[in-house]
Amino acid sequence: MYKIKNPTLEKIAVEVKQYPDSNIDEVAMAGRSNVGKSSLINSIVNRRALARTSSKPGKTRTLNFYNIDDKLRLVDLPGYGYASVSHSERDKWAQTINRYLTSRENLREVILLVDIRHEPTNDDLEMYQWILDAGFSGYVVATKMDKIGKSRLQQHLKVITQKLGIKDRDLLIPYSTQTKQNIEKISYILFNEKNE
Ligand code: GTP
Ligand code: MG
């Protein structure tokens, strides 16, 4: 497993001209507000609070670029599906996300995060279909695994697999920031699958 040495918050951006150089591959984390995108990034880089998290949805409102040893950037996206903000604000976030996802030439993977406890929403399905259509692998991380009992794990994974139409069971990775179970799978996707 690749041992991360020096993760930094390299850049916070909204507009394309604010993005960092496209000289390093990027992997973006997409998903609903509060699903655990920022927490997953902290868990991967082994820092408690490099990415800001919150128990309330709508914490991340910008594109946050985390540089890992100049090898890879993890990109924390604003969440979608957060009802308690104005339409115009939501449109702004959606635009920020879409602009990034559709224009970034060094984007290597987009990983979709869903909460393991709930059936994915239509927004999740739309995002997943976009990810597949864009030619990415279609990895899904099912977050907050610690919140369901072991005996219910397979049933929950089945619901997610069916709703999203996940083609290969290796694409779906249940994860918990509490136990870090399956961190090696995520690390492999990020650091070993690199198309060099
Ligand atoms: P936005 O920035 O609003 O889009 O949310 P986000 O997807 O970045 O979620 P964030 O990482 O801020 O996490 C939301 C809440 O879920 C926080 O209270 C986290 O502590 C909690 N959380 C994230 N992952 C896990 C997990 O694996 N287990 C448990 N128990 N809680 C988690
Ligand atoms: Mg966040």
Side-chain angles (χ1 to χ4, degrees):
M1 208 167 100
Y2 177 70
K3 196 165 171 3
I4 293 170
K5 293 165 203 83
N6 184 33
T8 60
L9 172 55
E10 184 177 3
K11 192 85 190 177
I12 296 173
V14 174
E15 307 297 334
V16 175
K17 61 176 187 298
Q18 300 168 321
Y19 296 174
D21 260 9
S22 57
N23 56 336
I24 301 174
D25 277 1
E26 290 171 356
V27 174
M29 304 298 174
R32 300 191 63 179
S33 263
N34 208 242
V35 69
K37 299 175 295 298
S38 303
S39 300
L40 177 62
I41 289 177
N42 284 332
S43 185
I44 292 166
V45 302
N46 236 326
R47 297 287 187 279
R48 279 175 65 90
L50 186 62
R52 303 288 298 280
T53 66
S54 168
S55 57
K56 295 199 206 81
K59 181 67 178 178
T60 309
R61 301 179 171 216
T62 49
L63 303 167
N64 297 345
F65 294 81
Y66 294 91
N67 181 318
I68 300 181
D69 305 344
D70 284 328
K71 283 182 189 301
L72 180 76
R73 289 195 196 101
L74 296 179
V75 184
D76 196 2
L77 303 178
Y80 52 78
Y82 175 37
S84 304
V85 289
S86 68
H87 269 290
S88 64
E89 183 89 350
R90 262 190 285 169
D91 287 350
K92 227 171 56 192
W93 296 356
Q95 245 185 44
T96 303
I97 297 167
N98 293 347
R99 232 181 356 240
Y100 171 77
L101 291 178
T102 54
S103 73
R104 195 64 167 159
E105 72 262 26
N106 57 328
L107 184 56
R108 177 156 55 82
E109 286 288 0
V110 181
I111 298 178
L112 179 66
L113 279 69
V114 296
D115 188 319
I116 199 162
R117 294 170 294 179
H118 310 300
E119 180 175 68
T121 64
N122 290 334
D123 283 345
D124 291 327
L125 179 57
E126 196 180 310
M127 176 58 78
Y128 195 59
Q129 284 173 343
W130 183 88
I131 288 170
L132 294 177
D133 288 346
F136 299 112
S137 305
Y139 287 109
V140 177
V141 171
T143 64
K144 312 192 187 184
M145 184 175 29
D146 54 281
K147 298 221 183 209
I148 61 165
K150 243 197 176 130
S151 62
R152 288 166 60 210
L153 178 65
Q154 290 311 322
Q155 176 55 28
H156 284 252
L157 294 180
K158 191 171 156 196
V159 168
I160 294 167
T161 300
Q162 286 183 344
K163 172 80 185 192
L164 295 178
I166 299 173
K167 288 277 162 19
D168 177 346
R169 57 184 302 159
D170 291 339
L171 291 171
L172 178 57
I173 301 162
Y175 188 68
S176 163
T177 57
Q178 312 288 300
T179 64
K180 290 195 143 195
Q181 195 179 332
N182 291 334
I183 185 71
E184 73 288 347
K185 291 188 182 156
I186 295 171
S187 174
Y188 184 83
I189 294 163
L190 297 177
F191 298 105
N192 298 82
E193 261 189 0
K194 208 165 170 182
N195 326 299
E196 280 172 326

